[in-house]
Amino acid sequence: MGTYIVRRLLQLIPVFLGIMVILFTIVELSPGGPLSAYLSPRMTPALRAELVERFGLNDPPVTRFFIWLGNMLRGELGSSIRLQRPVVDVLAPMISPTLLLMSLSMVFSVLVGVPAGIISATKQYTIADNSLTVFSLIGISMPSFFFGLLLLRYFSVELQWFPLFGMRDALYKPPNAFANALHVLHHMVLPVIVLGMGGVATFMRYTRSSMLEVIKSDYIRTARAKGLTEKVVIYRHALRNAMIPIITLLGFWIPSLLSGAVITESIFALPGIGRTAVEAVMTRDYPIILSISTMMAILTLLSTLIADILYAAADPRIKYD
Amino acid sequence: MSDAVKTVEVKKKFKRESEMSYWGSVFFRLKKNKMAMVSLIVLVIIVLGCIFVPIFSELDYIHTNTDNNNQPPSWEHPFGTDQIGRDLFVRFFNGGRISLGLALSVVILEVVIGTIMGCIAGYYGKFADTIIMRFCEILMSFPFLMFAITMVALFGNSIPVLIFVMVLLTWPSVCRIVRGQILTLRELEYMEACEALGLSDWRRIFKHLLPNILAYAIVFATLGMASVILTETALSFLGLGVSPPTPTWGNLIQEARNFTILTQRWWYWIPPGLGIFVSVMCFNILGDGLRDAIDPKMKR
């Protein structure tokens, strides 16, 4: 197992380098190149040459790539052009809202999607199964931004059950930590539903098909034949094997959550990484965009790695040599 | 007696299906799937609307009329008008044209590129296989939306850039599936026969391998339409896709980020939202239906 993890980690290195090469290349190829945010038409050639000199753009691209890569790996992400502050300082406070949103959505997706999938597999072709299947079809087809707007329109504007935007009210002073947590959670209800909806549908579909496959297998028939109750057969025997593909899906779902977070944070104006990325694009703030892209690429690679390791650990039938 | 009649009918049906061509029998099975047929009809209606409404309407999508702004739906303007008096019915169908047309071009390109690359990787193996699959792996490790956003930030938001980004990020998944298929097909006996006949590589790939993959490609393209529509509209919603005044379903909904429009003028954003939702759902149902019709064994 140890060697398997090490080998998978080593395999990540060329992929990571490839990602960085592509990111670097598209910045180089973009109109204006890495300088474009600083350039203005009134700039004198002398000033321009000075900028080129200051940013070290006279070096050959290969040298610059390795300098840039080294900086990124050491956490020297440069400074934001728009805010004139180090990228690390801009992004650091944005990480926790995004992580909170993503983890709550993941928990929501699993807690709703997996049981729904089990119900729909064990009661195949009943009304419950059919309506859950229709629901999951709606879940994967509904654009999240439209769903978010609909929820805002009815639950925040019409019924006023939930706040309209943000992580907390500007004027709210929580008396204690518990009230504070409750306040933030109240703000997170709609965003978590919007971001988690696709996950609920996907986890349900996977659980259902995986469960159906397992239920058909011989050992389940044996378990039934020796007189175990249906509950024990399903939850003790079938579920354990049916969960193996779901564990992998957990890892692969993280990248989709990242994409979803960009949209969800924009709808609900949550101060997170995704919204910062969109704002950075609007103002062509390259250092921020590149830092977020790199961060997300690393996170994606790590989550697929975790998925593979979990898969190998959960299923003893898999050989990892 | 009724049993006998039934047996005869069943026999007739089987005989008919076995006599059909491959695609004939696929369509025969698809026709029995009511949900898929309804989706197909709905999609045809939407597509016809997108083609003909802009042609036959007296108003175009940039015609403004400030005396007649912010009107709720009426006979004259079935989807109402916006704040500068543009007719939202016409804008809806123009938006559909862009959203669906863009999705179609992305899907065609991704399937063609993915299939060609998958064939090369699977058929020639070795060096070509390693290079292509590593490249796919790199592209697939990119967080989709973030990469799209980066590209749009660097190259500006225009339709060609959008198509390029989406094709670049989606062909690897087609490539993987095609490669897997080719790897299994390559080992079959009929490929040995090709070898014995001395057919050229080109002929083996295009005449003997591709037709076996076509069905998968079509299923993939149908389901791909759904996901590409969702991506394009999401980007346009964020203001990073097609830029106004050209309407798409995504940037028509974007209007609802204005609080007054969200709360008081539902006709701005509900129709495009439903347009996306309904067409994505129809493509999903149709794709599932096609998959079941093409390969009944795959049915879950």
Side-chain angles (χ1 to χ4, degrees):
Chain A
M1 188 76 191
T3 45
Y4 173 75
I5 295 175
V6 171
R7 223 192 46 227
R8 284 291 284 112
L9 268 172
L10 289 178
Q11 278 174 358
L12 286 187
I13 294 173
V15 177
F16 177 69
L17 279 179
I19 291 176
M20 297 308 271
V21 169
I22 292 179
L23 274 181
F24 185 78
T25 318
I26 56 178
V27 174
E28 288 289 309
L29 291 179
S30 68
L35 265 185
S36 74
Y38 295 100
L39 295 179
S40 84
R42 281 174 297 168
M43 205 174 255
T44 60
L47 192 62
R48 192 193 161 107
E50 196 195 309
L51 273 179
V52 167
E53 186 61 38
R54 192 168 67 174
F55 287 99
L57 294 176
N58 283 328
D59 299 333
V62 180
T63 322
R64 276 188 289 130
F65 171 71
F66 282 106
I67 293 173
W68 175 69
L69 185 68
N71 287 342
M72 286 305 242
L73 290 178
R74 267 179 282 126
E76 287 167 21
L77 307 176
S79 36
S80 155
I81 295 167
R82 182 174 59 110
L83 303 165
Q84 297 293 332
R85 279 163 56 209
V87 172
V88 182
D89 293 356
V90 176
L91 294 187
M94 302 296 177
I95 291 177
S96 63
T98 303
L99 281 185
L100 180 68
L101 175 66
M102 282 174 57
S103 43
L104 286 177
S105 307
M106 185 70 115
V107 171
F108 171 67
S109 306
V110 173
L111 284 187
V112 179
V114 171
I118 296 172
I119 293 173
S120 125
T122 49
K123 303 197 158 65
Q124 203 187 359
Y125 302 134
T126 60
I127 297 173
D129 176 33
N130 288 339
S131 42
L132 281 171
T133 307
V134 169
F135 168 80
S136 80
L137 195 64
I138 293 174
I140 59 165
S141 307
M142 183 66 110
S144 58
F145 47 93
F146 183 53
F147 187 53
L149 289 173
L150 284 175
L151 291 184
L152 265 184
R153 177 70 183 77
Y154 288 99
F155 292 106
S156 297
V157 176
E158 200 100 341
L159 300 169
Q160 303 197 335
W161 286 358
F162 299 105
L164 269 168
F165 56 82
M167 281 281 282
R168 52 179 75 243
D169 296 340
L171 299 174
Y172 180 74
K173 296 255 184 319
N176 53 42
F178 181 70
N180 184 33
L182 218 58
H183 183 74
V184 172
L185 278 181
H186 187 221
H187 279 75
M188 294 298 260
V189 173
L190 292 186
V192 165
I193 292 177
V194 169
L195 184 54
M197 173 201 56
V200 170
T202 312
F203 276 94
M204 202 201 111
R205 285 195 139 195
Y206 273 76
T207 310
R208 179 175 186 270
S209 63
S210 158
M211 199 71 184
L212 283 178
E213 210 162 283
V214 171
I215 287 177
K216 275 186 217 137
S217 56
D218 289 340
Y219 81 98
I220 293 297
R221 195 164 354 118
T222 315
R224 286 209 176 109
K226 73 180 184 186
L228 294 179
T229 58
E230 191 62 20
K231 230 182 192 166
V232 175
V233 171
I234 298 293
Y235 292 96
R236 276 275 184 77
H237 295 235
L239 190 60
R240 287 195 183 178
N241 277 330
M243 278 302 102
I244 294 171
I246 307 302
I247 291 171
T248 327
L249 183 63
L250 279 179
F252 289 122
W253 194 246
I254 293 174
S256 334
L257 276 181
L258 276 172
S259 292
V262 176
I263 298 168
T264 315
E265 284 171 12
S266 299
I267 302 172
F268 294 99
L270 297 175
I273 295 284
R275 200 173 64 126
T276 314
V278 175
E279 277 168 8
V281 171
M282 298 294 187
T283 50
R284 298 174 80 84
D285 202 339
Y286 293 144
I288 295 218
I289 300 170
L290 287 181
S291 308
I292 297 180
S293 302
T294 314
M295 261 168 52
M296 289 197 171
I298 293 175
L299 197 62
T300 311
L301 286 178
L302 286 182
S303 52
T304 45
L305 174 74
I306 292 169
D308 283 353
I309 293 174
L310 280 179
Y311 192 60
D315 192 347
R317 286 170 300 185
I318 291 176
K319 284 198 206 128
Y320 35 79
D321 45 25
Chain B
M1 189 220 140
S2 68
D3 269 6
V5 173
K6 234 183 208 166
T7 328
V8 171
E9 266 177 12
V10 168
K11 261 187 190 159
K12 239 185 189 170
K13 225 182 217 173
F14 273 118
K15 205 179 168 196
R16 253 200 288 156
E17 198 178 340
S18 65
E19 279 167 0
M20 287 173 186
S21 68
Y22 177 67
W23 289 107
S25 70
V26 165
F27 193 66
F28 175 78
R29 270 170 291 185
L30 186 66
K31 263 200 300 198
K32 285 194 290 194
N33 184 339
K34 278 192 200 113
M35 290 263 279
M37 288 320 282
V38 171
S39 306
L40 187 62
I41 292 166
V42 173
L43 282 175
V44 168
I45 293 172
I46 293 177
V47 169
L48 288 179
C50 290
I51 295 174
F52 291 109
V53 169
I55 294 178
F56 289 112
S57 146
E58 294 155 25
L59 302 161
D60 62 14
Y61 67 91
I62 43 172
H63 178 90
T64 57
N65 176 6
T66 35
D67 297 336
N68 195 17
N69 58 353
N70 289 325
Q71 293 301 311
S74 59
W75 275 115
E76 215 174 323
H77 302 287
F79 288 178
T81 60
D82 69 2
Q83 64 270 61
I84 47 176
R86 291 178 294 195
D87 179 67
L88 286 170
F89 185 71
V90 176
R91 282 178 72 74
F92 173 85
F93 283 106
N94 266 301
R97 252 187 189 190
I98 308 272
S99 287
L100 295 177
L102 202 139
L104 188 67
S105 34
V106 169
V107 164
I108 291 174
L109 284 173
E110 82 170 80
V111 169
V112 169
I113 295 175
T115 309
I116 293 174
M117 297 305 256
C119 283
I120 294 173
Y123 186 81
Y124 292 104
K126 290 185 194 132
F127 188 62
D129 190 33
T130 318
I131 297 277
I132 292 176
M133 291 329 282
R134 264 297 126 84
F135 192 57
C136 286
E137 202 182 327
I138 292 171
L139 288 176
M140 287 172 92
S141 319
F142 264 103
F144 194 104
L145 203 61
M146 197 55 223
F147 184 71
I149 285 178
T150 312
M151 292 290 281
V152 169
L154 295 168
F155 294 94
N157 46 350
S158 64
I159 292 179
V161 171
L162 273 182
I163 293 180
F164 176 75
V165 173
M166 284 196 271
V167 172
L168 185 69
L169 291 177
T170 46
W171 72 264
S173 36
V174 185
C175 179
R176 274 195 165 181
I177 295 173
V178 171
R179 173 180 170 269
Q181 287 295 317
I182 296 269
L183 285 182
T184 31
L185 289 174
R186 206 175 57 172
E187 303 305 319
L188 296 183
E189 274 167 16
Y190 84 101
M191 285 317 285
E192 250 172 70
C194 289
E195 179 99 51
L197 285 170
L199 298 184
S200 64
D201 283 356
W202 192 85
R203 205 152 157 202
R204 275 188 233 174
I205 294 177
F206 284 91
K207 280 267 166 82
H208 298 275
L209 288 173
L210 264 189
N212 285 302
I213 296 167
L214 196 62
Y216 292 93
I218 288 173
V219 171
F220 201 93
T222 315
L223 294 173
M225 281 297 285
S227 66
V228 172
I229 292 173
L230 281 180
T231 313
E232 179 273 317
T233 50
L235 281 172
S236 296
F237 174 76
L238 292 173
L240 304 170
V242 181
S243 41
T246 308
T248 78
W249 284 343
N251 65 25
L252 285 174
I253 296 188
Q254 195 200 6
E255 303 269 0
R257 297 175 85 177
N258 175 323
F259 191 70
T260 327
I261 291 176
L262 177 70
T263 49
Q264 286 157 24
R265 299 177 195 150
W266 58 269
W267 60 91
Y268 272 66
W269 55 281
I270 297 276
L274 286 178
I276 300 169
F277 172 57
V278 169
S279 42
V280 168
M281 191 151 85
C282 289
F283 277 117
N284 275 328
I285 297 173
L286 188 63
D288 283 349
L290 269 172
R291 188 189 53 207
D292 296 343
I294 282 168
D295 189 354
K297 277 176 291 178
M298 268 158 67
K299 188 164 188 168
R300 278 175 292 178

